[in-house]
């Protein structure tokens, strides 16, 4: 098909099957070492590295290719402090009574509480925003398709990219997250989806002794 009809040839690189198997196994081993980290060091991370990981996320498939996302990479200490203060205010009410007992019981193995020092310690907070709707050149609203799903896919790719680059991450979702739009001055059509904390783990960081479900619980062959 020619360029003139809106299509061009696919750049697909066929690999020998042995190499395919090695790559699949190597990627599995890499991704199995990913852990959600809640103790971060203040060791800096170059913005260029974070930018490449965000570019990876922004390459994700999306409904009608609308790319309904914005990634706000925050390293400014004053802005991180404001985000921490607002998030902790929400979390205090969550842990202090808003969360039902069964939710708190489900979180107990993770050892979380209202205090979120990592929001200031970690070098980067990547606030992922979802475009609930688009804005046309004439200012009219454009309907978005599968926006939350698309942003979820992009966020998964962001987590994988950061891990692959040698960084630790934490998915953090203080609720409600409206304060993030205010602090970052984002427009009304964007909603905060999550905060991805990224950096190096603190010296001696620990993670909960929890595991993943076995193969037979997560996959079936038909
Ligand atoms: N947002 C709270 C609570 C929390 C909820 C879930 I679901 C988790 O997997 C972890 C934490 C917090 O960040 O502490």
């Amino acid at each position: 098909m020619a360029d003139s009809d809106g299509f061009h040839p696919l750049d697909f690189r066929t690999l020998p099957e042995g190499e395919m198997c090695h790559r699949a196994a190597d990627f599995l081993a890499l991704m199995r070492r990913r852990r959600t980290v809640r103790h971060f060091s203040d060791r800096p991370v170059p913005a260029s590295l974070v930018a490449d990981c965000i570019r990876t996320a922004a390459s994700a498939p999306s409904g009608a290719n609308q790319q309904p996302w914005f990634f706000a990479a925050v390293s400014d200490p004053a802005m991180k402090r404001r985000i921490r203060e607002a998030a902790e205010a929400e979390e205090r009410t969550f842990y202090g009574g808003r969360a039902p007992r069964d939710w708190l019981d489900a979180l107990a193995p993770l050892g979380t509480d209202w205090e979120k020092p990592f929001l200031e310690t970690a070098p980067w907070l990547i606030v992922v925003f979802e475009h609930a709707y688009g804005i046309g050149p004439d200012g009219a609203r454009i309907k978005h398709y599968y926006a939350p799903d698309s942003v979820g896919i992009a966020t998964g790719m962001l987590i994988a990219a950061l891990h692959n680059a040698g960084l630790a991450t934490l998915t953090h979702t203080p609720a409600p997250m409206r304060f993030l739009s205010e602090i970052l001055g984002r427009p009304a059509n964007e909603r905060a989806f999550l905060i991805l904390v990224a950096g190096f783990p603190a010296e001696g960081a620990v993670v909960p002794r929890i595991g993943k479900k076995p193969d037979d619980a997560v996959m079936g062959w038909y």
Side-chain angles (χ1 to χ4, degrees), residues 38 91 94-95 103 107 110 112-113 116 172-173:
R38 290 191 168 80
E91 298 293 1
F94 176 85
Y95 286 96
W103 194 345
L107 294 179
L110 308 182
T112 56
D113 60 27
K116 306 296 177 193
H172 180 47
T173 52

Side-chain angles (χ1 to χ4, degrees), residues 108-196:
L110 308 182
T112 56
D113 60 27
W114 65 268
E115 279 193 283
K116 306 296 177 193
F118 50 76
L119 292 175
E120 274 187 89
T121 321
W124 291 101
L125 307 179
I126 306 172
V127 186
V128 182
F129 287 91
E130 172 195 332
H131 288 185
Y133 54 90
I135 314 270
D138 55 353
R141 282 189 185 203
I142 297 169
K143 185 174 161 46
H144 275 171
Y145 305 99
Y146 297 100
D149 318 64
S150 303
V151 176
I153 292 167
T155 300
M157 290 176 59
L158 179 58
I159 293 167
L162 290 162
H163 176 70
N164 177 61
L167 292 173
T169 58
L170 163 64
T171 48
H172 180 47
T173 52
M177 290 195 278
R178 269 186 299 279
F179 67 86
L180 291 165
S181 292
E182 285 154 30
I183 292 174
L184 296 167
R186 298 309 306 166
N189 66 320
E190 289 183 8
R191 293 191 191 125
F193 182 78
L194 61 60
I195 304 175
L196 198 64

